[in-house]
Amino acid sequence: MPLSFCIVDDDATARRMLQHIIEDSGLGEVVGTAEGGQDAYA
């Protein structure tokens, strides 16, 4: 069963880089991204 990730970071470039690292290395799937905690929680 692959892992699911939600990336929360205020830097859009960091979010994209983390998403590529996670998905390209086969660690799991990024199911969501958000700029901050309030966006992630909503």
Side-chain angles (χ1 to χ4, degrees):
M1 178 179 190
L3 296 174
S4 298
F5 294 88
C6 181
I7 300 171
V8 181
D9 195 299
D10 62 343
D11 185 336
T13 301
R15 290 193 306 270
R16 282 192 301 273
M17 287 180 4
L18 287 169
Q19 182 170 358
H20 286 296
I21 290 168
I22 290 167
E23 293 179 346
D24 293 349
S25 65
L27 292 173
E29 176 185 11
V30 175
V31 295
T33 62
E35 282 189 37
Q38 289 183 330
D39 293 335
Y41 187 70

